[in-house]
Amino acid sequence: MPLLSIITFLPLLGALIILCLDKNDTKAVQRTGFVASGLALLASIVLLVMFDSSRPDIQFVEEFSWIPALNVHYFLGVDGLSMPLVVLTTLLTVVSLVASLSITNRVKEYWFWFLVLETGMIGVFGALDFFLFYVFWEITLVPMYFLIGIWGGPKKEYAAVKFFLYTLFGSVFMLLAIIALYFASEPHTLSILELTAQRNRFIELGMTFQMLVFLGFYLAFAIKVPLFPFHTWLPLAHVEAPTAVSVILAGVLLKMGGYGLLRVNLPMFPEATKAALPFLVAIAVINIVYGALCAMAQKDLKRMVAYSSINHMGYAMLGIVSLSAAGFNGAVFQFVTHGIITGALFLLVGVIYDRTHTRDIDAFGGLASKLPVYAGVMTLASMASLGLPGLAGFIGEFLCFLGAFGSWKVAAAISVTGILVTAAFFLTMIKKVFLGPLNQQWSGLTDMNTRELIAVAPLAVLTILLGVYPRLGLDLMNETMTMLANFVRGS
């Protein structure tokens, strides 16, 4: 059974069915969306159960010739790098759709675009042919543009255009890099696995060729992560996007960039990677420290969480540039836990904004006495995000630093300051929002309702579960990450 194709295209099938429904039949639209995304989640769990974590190679391969004239194949498969991200995508999509039940404007179009977006994201993590990879990569652009541009905040159009142009700018360079690889390979191919196997051929073509193609991919992936100085689209997009879109943006879309660096840049261009390492380390440190300091300066709760994402992706980048198994494991674990934790944080920011129509941290105070459940879950997510041992966020950061200290001691030592700043701004936020006397302006607020609890509960459970028993995630990715680290270092 082509299980990976089923997971990828079930959401698209749901989107097409929604197109045929009456736009006024909101319940039917939502039911269809839940069935499609729920079945995709169920199928991804089945795939996870069947996945052999003792094997580092690609599994569940589906391949057939698609465009013979160009040697383009429909080529899907997953390994320990992509499997966790496929499950993360299907889980966060269902969670986001629960949060989307509050959307009342143009419901049919909203759910249609959301399901198209899910297909694009899963496809990126499953595609093993560059043609297919690029198609899925670009598919994610269009739904995200409309989801921010139509259902976003006051500056939604500007935020949507900025997101689109930034990402498209990177995509153009990625396309040029893909074309260059196609003509440099012998025989000409777009298979990611075959091109990786031909890396010695790219080394023979000289450092100039390697660096140019490396940079083409790097620009596309760095913008998506986002890495400094390409990060400026992210805070605005988060602030203007509706809650569920922010969850997907932080939880999945940013991971596409880090995934690309591990899947393409490092194994395919080892010499260029080693030459660029000092630059990449510097970028990782800037992301960590600069992202944390910017988050600390924010008064808007959502903007603070957005900048914390830049900070946390810096940790993942630090793990990647360590070129070690520990660092790679830490980076991918950080991808997953950041998606879970930050997804919960954005959901919780949406909860308080729906009630108060403000995200100004200074405007709150003493909410723990009025909203005890909300305060408890928000504190849990904040503690996980600042890396408290026993919660999921700690494991990824620990492994990233463990890998980095072996190769980049000074950079790792400087980056540790990011942890302190992150702890400072999260604790300051908790103090201002939840502690002290209750601001009487909010005396009529109600605690989280059933729908909001259903959305955030799985993320809270996973935050604790992966924190106390990280083997659940690490066993899944370790063999592939160890093989990748040996492959990159052994060049």
Side-chain angles (χ1 to χ4, degrees), residues 385-448:
S385 190
L386 65 83
L388 190 73
L391 298 174
F394 170 74
I395 307 299
E397 291 178 16
F398 177 78
L399 287 172
C400 288
F401 279 111
L402 187 67
F405 263 108
S407 311
W408 309 97
K409 289 182 175 58
V410 174
I414 295 171
S415 300
V416 169
T417 59
I419 295 179
L420 299 176
V421 179
T422 304
F425 69 73
F426 270 115
L427 292 174
T428 302
M429 181 275 290
I430 290 172
K431 171 179 168 286
K432 288 184 176 180
V433 175
F434 297 111
L435 304 182
L438 175 66
N439 183 339
Q440 291 304 314
Q441 183 183 358
W442 313 118
S443 59
L445 291 185
T446 56
D447 213 334
M448 296 178 74

Side-chain angles (χ1 to χ4, degrees), residues 351-364:
V351 168
I352 200 68
Y353 183 75
D354 285 346
R355 285 161 173 71
T356 63
H357 301 292
T358 181
R359 295 185 297 259
D360 185 356
I361 295 172
D362 293 333
F364 299 109

Side-chain angles (χ1 to χ4, degrees), residues 58-374:
I58 300 289
Q59 302 176 41
F60 305 103
V61 172
E62 299 169 24
E63 184 178 15
F64 62 83
S65 181
W66 182 14
I67 309 174
L70 297 176
N71 199 20
V72 172
H73 287 70
Y74 176 85
F75 190 8
L76 296 181
V78 288
D79 59 4
L81 170 58
S82 48
M83 186 69 244
L85 297 174
V86 169
V87 178
L88 177 72
T89 303
T90 55
L91 171 65
L92 286 183
T93 301
V94 172
V95 167
S96 300
L97 289 179
V98 174
S100 299
L101 289 172
S102 60
I103 296 287
T104 55
N105 176 38
R106 302 172 68 172
V107 174
K108 177 176 173 177
E109 293 125 288
Y110 178 90
W111 285 66
F112 168 79
W113 285 122
F114 220 105
L115 292 177
V116 174
L117 177 63
E118 184 180 10
T119 286
M121 294 185 297
I122 298 172
V124 166
F125 297 130
L128 293 173
D129 184 285
F130 266 129
F131 188 89
L132 198 59
F133 179 85
Y134 190 77
V135 168
F136 283 125
W137 183 277
E138 292 300 284
I139 281 177
T140 62
L141 265 184
V142 181
M144 189 54 79
Y145 171 78
F146 285 115
L147 287 167
I148 297 175
I150 296 176
W151 292 274
K155 296 180 181 176
K156 56 192 178 187
E157 292 91 352
Y158 177 66
V161 169
K162 189 171 184 179
F163 160 78
F164 194 95
L165 289 180
Y166 262 68
T167 311
L168 187 64
F169 175 80
S171 298
V172 170
F173 286 95
M174 180 163 69
L175 180 61
L176 291 174
I178 290 172
I179 293 171
L181 279 184
Y182 176 78
F183 284 107
S185 59
E186 188 58 45
H188 297 330
T189 180
L190 289 169
S191 165
I192 294 175
L193 300 185
E194 284 187 34
L195 287 168
T196 304
Q198 290 192 31
R199 63 179 187 158
N200 287 334
R201 177 175 176 79
F202 305 144
I203 293 174
E204 291 169 3
L205 290 174
M207 184 58 88
T208 302
F209 174 82
Q210 268 213 55
M211 285 303 296
L212 286 175
V213 182
F214 177 93
L215 283 173
F217 283 111
Y218 174 79
L219 279 172
F221 300 145
I223 289 171
K224 197 70 102 179
V225 171
L227 297 176
F228 181 87
F230 306 113
H231 63 286
T232 60
W233 64 268
L234 181 76
L236 183 62
H238 269 305
V239 168
E240 297 304 318
T243 296
V245 177
S246 286
V247 172
I248 289 296
L249 191 58
V252 182
L253 249 73
L254 307 190
K255 312 307 181 299
M256 287 164 49
Y259 170 78
L261 289 172
L262 284 169
R263 177 67 76 199
V264 179
N265 282 67
L266 268 61
M268 215 171 279
F269 315 108
E271 298 301 318
T273 297
K274 288 173 182 173
L277 273 180
F279 167 77
L280 298 176
V281 172
I283 293 296
V285 174
I286 292 172
N287 254 59
I288 292 171
V289 178
Y290 174 76
L293 291 174
C294 285
M296 192 164 189
Q298 302 308 313
K299 299 295 184 187
D300 185 302
L301 191 52
K302 200 173 186 184
R303 191 177 283 269
M304 185 198 82
V305 178
Y307 273 107
S308 80
S309 291
I310 297 172
N311 160 257
H312 282 92
M313 287 301 95
Y315 295 133
M317 192 64 190
L318 195 64
I320 291 172
V321 296
S322 73
L323 303 188
S324 67
F328 286 179
N329 272 302
V332 180
F333 200 84
Q334 179 80 348
F335 290 163
V336 175
T337 56
H338 176 263
I340 293 168
I341 297 167
T342 307
L345 284 170
F346 277 120
L347 284 175
L348 293 164
V349 172
V351 168
I352 200 68
Y353 183 75
D354 285 346
R355 285 161 173 71
T356 63
H357 301 292
T358 181
R359 295 185 297 259
D360 185 356
I361 295 172
D362 293 333
F364 299 109
L367 289 188
S369 61
K370 192 68 185 172
L371 310 174
V373 176
Y374 178 78

